[in-house]
Amino acid sequence: MTGSPQWLSMETRVKPAVFDYHRPDNIEEACALLAEYGADARVLSGGQSLVPLMNMRILSPAVLIDINRCRDLAYLREEGAAIACGALTRQSEAETSDLVASRLPLMSIAMPHVGVRASRNFGTVCGSLAHADPLAELPSVASALDARFVIASSRGRREVTADEFFVSALTNCLEPDEMLAEVKMPAIAEGAGCAFHEIANRAHGFAVAGVAACVEFGPDGRCSRARLSAMGAGDTTARLSPVEALIEGQRLDDALIRAAGAEAAVVADPAGDVHADAAYRAEAIGSLVRKVLRQMQGAAVER
Amino acid sequence: MKAIEDFTLIGKTVLRREDSYLMRGKAQFLDDLPEPKGLIHLAFVLSPYACADILSVDASAAKALPGVIDVLTGKDLVGDIKTFAPVIEIEGYRDVRRPVVAVDRVNFVGEYVAVILAESPYVAQDALDLVEVDYDPLPAVAGIEEAEAAGAPVIHSHLGDNHIFRAAFETEDFDARFAEGDLVLEEEFRNGKTAGGMIEPRGCMAWPDPVATNFTLWTPTQIPHIVRTAIADHLDIPESVLRVVAPAVGGGFGTKAHVFPDELIVVALARRYGRAVKWVQDRRESLLTNMHARGHILHIKVSVKQDGTLCGVYLNLKTNCGAYPNHPYSPTLEATGCARMLPGPYRFQTYRYDVSSLITNTCPTGAKRGTGQPSAFLAIEGMMDRIGRRLGIDPAEVRRRNTVRPEEFPYVNVVGVRYDTGSYLPSLERGLEMIGYDAFRAAQPKDRLVNGKYRGIGICNYTEVSGTGAPGWRVRGFAKMPGFDSSRVVVEPDGKITVYVSQADAGQGHYTTFAQIAADRLGVACEDVTVVEGDTSKTPYGTGTFASRGSVVGGGTVIRCSEKVGVKIRRIAGYMLDADPERLVLKDGRVADPEDAGRSLSLREVAETAYSMNNLGLPQGEEHGLEATDYYDPPMVTMANGTHVVQVAVDPEDGRVEIERYAVVHDCGRVINPRIVEGQVHGATVQGIGEALMEEIVYDADGQHLNANLLDYLMPTAMDVPELELDHIETPSIDTVGGIKGAAEGGLTGAVPAIANAVGDALSGLGVNITRVPLRPSSVFEQIRRACTEKEGRA
Ligand SMILES: Cc1cc2nc3c(=O)[nH]c(=O)nc-3n(C[C@H](O)[C@H](O)[C@H](O)COP(=O)(O)OP(=O)(O)OC[C@H]3O[C@@H](n4cnc5c(N)ncnc54)[C@H](O)[C@@H]3O)c2cc1C
């Protein structure tokens, strides 16, 4: 004879270690909480990186400060010659924004490579920047755009460049009581070209290497200003300054593009992992530099 | 061919009834089941070392945590559960048993070291970090070559070395016959270790019945009856008191066709504590501890005539067993399987193989969709291309010249496997036609460079072992693998039908196909049939669902069983209608006498008579009830077949492989439900694309598993899948009931070699030799670079 079990309803389950949870309504409250909890706290924005890390118990913050109710941080607006993107702007909002498409085309073309639609619906632009993954697309985009990072705390505000913001893999320059409030990206200049390409082992998810580029041309068709940033080239997103120096003031002909690719492979200082070894990453960055510059050649000719 | 011409529903696309709950998220997977009161939650402490002595386990801090019930080590469980091992009776196999939780020594990263029992899963997780284990790390071996090297640490000392299995086979006069060829080609192929990659990780829950001394185990398994037998055996409990239930299963792919230590542990602990016990693994555990597959080294030598025909084949295959043999198959599954399946659609009759499996300090390996076949065809199909290149014969033509011809069926291959029917040549021709092969070849430049990319075509002609019966398992030493499957078909008192099948669905659509079959045979609507499976207390004993046996053996037994019930229906109806039962026809839910047009009975009327629910009574000697039971043991194997033809472009700048065209021709004999078959072909092909281009479990030299998460273990997503052009050929088996052959694995088997061959063809002008999958951009690029450097060196 068989009885039947006495069923219990399922309780809600979570996997991370125990934490305290705060949900401020605006940036002042968020900063006040950060001032109170400092290094014990983590800002939760889209949660697309933080939550998996907590579930795997790789991170166990004692306090979470959830900024998803801070409506004052959800904006994407034109401010003079720059576009300001608040900390609560979702990646999908930037992806579909006309303002971004027309004034920050580099971000528009790179965004479809950032995870999948579902992760972009939650993930924020600033969250990806704050996370500082050397293989993430948006830090390279911000770096190639010469973005300014607006940092807030209850002590006030300060601005830093991408070079200052990205310190090393998964490490930014924020002090324990600070948060990233906004990123300001200069709009594309008249007659400039931009391109983004990456190489991955599969179509979805993180890439092996990538290059974001923004190049301006003078009336003579020569490259007047070049900004190239590589992902996977080191432990942070890295500007390829020697490559920029090589092409500024020059015409983008095939020989120069080949030289730029070779230079990029030399300056890149990538690491190896299960996805690709360091030598391949360097070559891949070289080939990506050639690819973006060849595309830019088109932009220069078109004018 | 035994044509059953009167099929009405078999062969029709019927929408999958399970989709209505699967697609709406309403399926009840293990972790969705309501939980019994007083449930104990388990978490396992996993070994961080590939090989180490366990010096001590200090669980005092964990035990002190509120909500922790107990922490048990391997020693604590020795009395509850016997050491775990499959039963394999074949020469060359050596027994290795494992404690379900390690006792003195751990042998792979992820092996269970202790088990935490807690009042909630949350507490169990917290307690994991509090158990302190003192290890003495020892040198580990992760790879096959390291394991067989002289002086390698011996992982299981009683073996003396790291070989767990060796087997050899040789046809008569092998050496002399092999020497008859004009030339010998030789190659070594390798594939990466991969995982089954099902979306639902494993877990299980055991519940001791307080009324009787019975246990129910819910476990997402493909083999509920075999799980029950194994647990009863290792726990010393009667099979009659254990019920094994497979709830909705979120993908199995062979991984869930094993018996796992945790299944024994939850039942043993339910018995020890008299409480329900549950454990659910996470993705990391899933990738660390569930069975891995492949990781083979195939050394192949072929002897050929100038015209490209094979005189003989020699295979030396080495497989990585992992730290322990899997249950119930042991590593012989892939080793012998691969060697025996390698002849494929080809006619050669001279063959020798030497296979061996090596113990290493890695996760055990076992069954995964395709088992030995993706490896076997990587080798033999790779050689077809090499023969063509060497002799200047088109690789498709080389295949034609070696393929079993239509008039040769039934054909017995070189290892004695009977191919009853098949469409080997028609399938090849159709595949070539679909891709426009001749035109492509005619336009293909010698260096294969078109618009900056190297373009090539790859072919894989494959056979697919399916529906293995008892003789097929016995010949390979599987002493406890039944081979048969069974069903019970019941016409209920209201005339509706319940079909109980000994199998367990993991998403294949059994609830639809088996309903279709029974409805077809009993002349009722599909909706009038309910299918029940995956529950040892409800269905008769059987082997389960793996190795493409669901429709061959499950479908076969449902056909037979339905026809058995049909006989009784006709007998009773004949009595009621006063007609000869033989001439009665089951159609549209009625039993009709075609010779007496007006006269018929509804199935319900017949059932009411059978169940004594009217005053009519039964014919003399007839028993009440309206049901039948059937045990169907199919032939040794039945062979499906097919052809994949793939066109790729390789970018020399970064090594990326892009699939430009993909054609699949597929023959699984009698098709039951075309849509479901297409789904199986698609799914398997996509898994093959994964194995060919990206998937690989990576262990470092110390046996550390480097990618036990889905960020780093890459499986293809929809974004990686090209348009698949599909065509079917239907060549029913003459050996199986209903002419059915298996359909679930060939896609994977065809994809891996076809893609590898396409890349090999594209890069042949550069002199690149493709011998290893996965073909990630970095490895392809490196091979291109090396070939170019060598060329320059020669120039
Ligand atoms: C399936 C999947 C695929 C993905 N693929 C990619 C990919 O291909 N490329 C890619 O770049 N990313 C990928 N991601 C990561 C994704 O882009 C994340 O959205 C992003 O990295 C983090 O943004 P978030 O808003 O979700 O931040 P969260 O996860 O909430 O936070 C990430 C980190 O940043 C901190 N942080 C967040 N906001 C702030 C702030 N305003 N100030 C200070 N600190 C802050 C958090 O404390 C945390 O440490 C993927 C994610 C998933 C789930």
Side-chain angles (χ1 to χ4, degrees), chain A residues 41-53 59 67 73 87 90-91 113-116 119-120 122-133 135-139 172 174 178-181 198 204-207, chain B residues 711:
Chain A
R42 283 265 171 177
V43 172
L44 172 73
S45 50
Q48 297 303 294
S49 297
L50 183 55
V51 171
L53 289 169
L59 288 181
I67 60 168
L73 290 173
R90 310 286 170 190
Q91 293 158 6
H113 296 280
V114 183
V116 282
S119 72
R120 295 195 293 273
F122 271 99
T124 60
V125 172
C126 286
S128 172
L129 299 175
H131 192 54
D133 190 315
L135 280 165
E137 288 81 5
L138 297 180
N172 57 38
L174 297 176
E178 290 180 323
M179 64 176 282
L180 179 60
E198 66 177 37
H204 149 84
F206 280 95
Chain B
L711 202 63

Side-chain angles (χ1 to χ4, degrees), chain B residues 305-382:
Chain B
K305 293 271 191 212
Q306 282 300 337
D307 67 358
T309 52
L310 288 167
C311 289
V313 176
Y314 170 66
L315 172 74
N316 186 317
L317 165 70
K318 290 172 184 164
T319 75
N320 189 331
C321 167
Y324 305 100
N326 72 68
H327 190 292
Y329 317 101
S330 84
T332 72
L333 177 78
E334 286 220 294
T336 327
C338 176
R340 286 175 58 83
M341 292 161 190
L342 181 128
Y346 300 120
R347 309 170 64 230
F348 63 89
Q349 287 289 340
T350 299
Y351 186 36
R352 179 181 152 198
Y353 65 72
D354 290 301
V355 301
S356 50
S357 296
L358 287 124
I359 298 278
T360 63
N361 292 114
T362 61
C363 174
T365 59
K368 178 189 170 186
R369 204 173 204 172
T371 50
Q373 295 169 113
S375 309
F377 289 94
L378 182 67
I380 191 73
E381 287 297 280

Side-chain angles (χ1 to χ4, degrees), chain B residues 496-708:
Chain B
K496 304 293 186 208
I497 289 148
T498 313
V499 177
Y500 301 88
V501 191
S502 61
Q503 299 220 336
D505 178 88
Q508 299 94 334
H510 287 183
Y511 296 100
T512 306
T513 39
F514 293 157
Q516 251 177 288
I517 291 174
D520 183 295
R521 295 293 83 198
L522 291 171
V524 300
C526 246
E527 303 74 65
D528 290 343
V529 182
T530 299
V531 176
V532 177
E533 55 171 41
D535 186 339
T536 59
S537 74
K538 293 184 177 162
T539 79
Y541 201 91
T543 309
T545 309
F546 56 93
S548 293
R549 49 183 296 116
S551 49
V552 180
V553 199
T557 182
V558 174
I559 290 179
R560 284 167 36 128
C561 198
S562 303
E563 287 174 353
K564 281 186 192 172
V565 186
V567 170
K568 183 166 182 183
I569 293 171
R570 284 196 194 86
R571 250 193 343 255
I572 297 173
Y575 173 74
M576 291 166 73
L577 291 169
D578 197 15
D580 177 3
E582 295 279 327
R583 70 165 193 251
L584 298 183
V585 174
L586 303 181
K587 210 177 156 219
D588 301 329
R590 303 190 70 80
V591 191
D593 182 354
E595 289 179 20
D596 190 349
R599 294 190 66 211
S600 70
L601 293 166
S602 71
L603 203 49
R604 184 184 186 124
E605 288 170 295
V606 180
E608 280 171 351
T609 304
Y611 287 96
S612 186
M613 292 192 174
N614 54 30
N615 291 328
L616 297 178
L618 285 171
Q620 188 102 58
E622 192 74 78
E623 278 180 26
H624 284 294
L626 197 48
E627 63 173 83
T629 301
D630 177 76
Y631 289 79
Y632 174 45
D633 187 19
M636 186 177 196
V637 296
T638 184
M639 285 285 181
N641 71 276
T643 303
H644 286 219
V645 191
V646 185
Q647 178 189 320
V648 301
V650 183
D651 190 335
E653 289 230 0
D654 54 28
R656 266 192 283 198
V657 174
E658 187 193 336
I659 297 174
E660 299 192 305
R661 293 279 308 281
Y662 204 118
V664 182
V665 186
H666 181 264
D667 188 343
C668 61
R670 171 90 55 216
V671 172
I672 302 163
N673 184 324
R675 179 82 51 88
I676 286 180
V677 170
E678 274 171 29
Q680 288 295 324
V681 175
H682 271 253
T685 302
V686 172
Q687 272 189 312
I689 291 172
E691 287 194 16
L693 296 180
M694 61 191 84
E695 277 186 54
E696 180 168 21
I697 285 166
V698 183
Y699 279 99
D700 69 11
D702 298 326
Q704 279 301 329
H705 188 318
L706 300 182
N707 55 348

Side-chain angles (χ1 to χ4, degrees), chain A residues 3 8 57 202-203 275 280, chain B residues 35 126 209 654 712 715 720:
Chain A
L8 262 190
R57 299 199 176 202
R202 70 169 167 191
H275 303 294
Y280 175 74
Chain B
E35 293 177 340
D126 290 343
D209 186 331
D654 54 28
D712 293 321
M715 295 192 296
D720 299 286

Side-chain angles (χ1 to χ4, degrees), chain A residues 149-297:
Chain A
F149 293 70
V150 180
I151 295 170
S153 71
S154 51
R155 294 175 285 125
R157 289 194 166 221
R158 64 184 178 115
E159 272 185 37
V160 298
T161 64
D163 267 359
E164 294 161 324
F165 187 78
F166 300 113
V167 175
S168 63
L170 305 182
T171 308
N172 57 38
C173 75
L174 297 176
E175 295 295 331
D177 66 340
E178 290 180 323
M179 64 176 282
L180 179 60
E182 173 186 298
V183 59
K184 258 198 295 224
M185 293 162 284
I188 191 164
E190 187 65 25
C194 64
F196 179 89
H197 286 289
E198 66 177 37
I199 292 174
N201 286 331
R202 70 169 167 191
H204 149 84
F206 280 95
V208 160
V211 170
C214 237
V215 181
E216 294 172 22
F217 297 94
D220 57 358
R222 286 172 190 271
C223 160
S224 54
R225 187 171 184 274
R227 292 288 178 271
L228 280 86
S229 233
M231 44 192 263
D235 70 352
T236 68
T237 186
R239 279 275 292 281
L240 300 170
S241 309
V243 180
E244 296 169 356
L246 195 70
I247 57 179
E248 276 177 353
Q250 307 291 323
R251 272 180 217 288
L252 278 184
D253 57 24
D254 292 349
L256 183 66
I257 289 178
R258 271 198 303 280
E263 181 68 19
V266 174
V267 265
D269 182 21
D273 58 23
V274 292
H275 303 294
D277 57 22
Y280 175 74
R281 280 214 164 90
E283 294 291 344
I285 287 164
S287 102
L288 288 164
V289 163
R290 290 195 296 274
K291 199 164 177 179
V292 294
L293 292 181
R294 277 200 299 266
Q295 198 176 326
M296 226 63 90
Q297 240 177 342

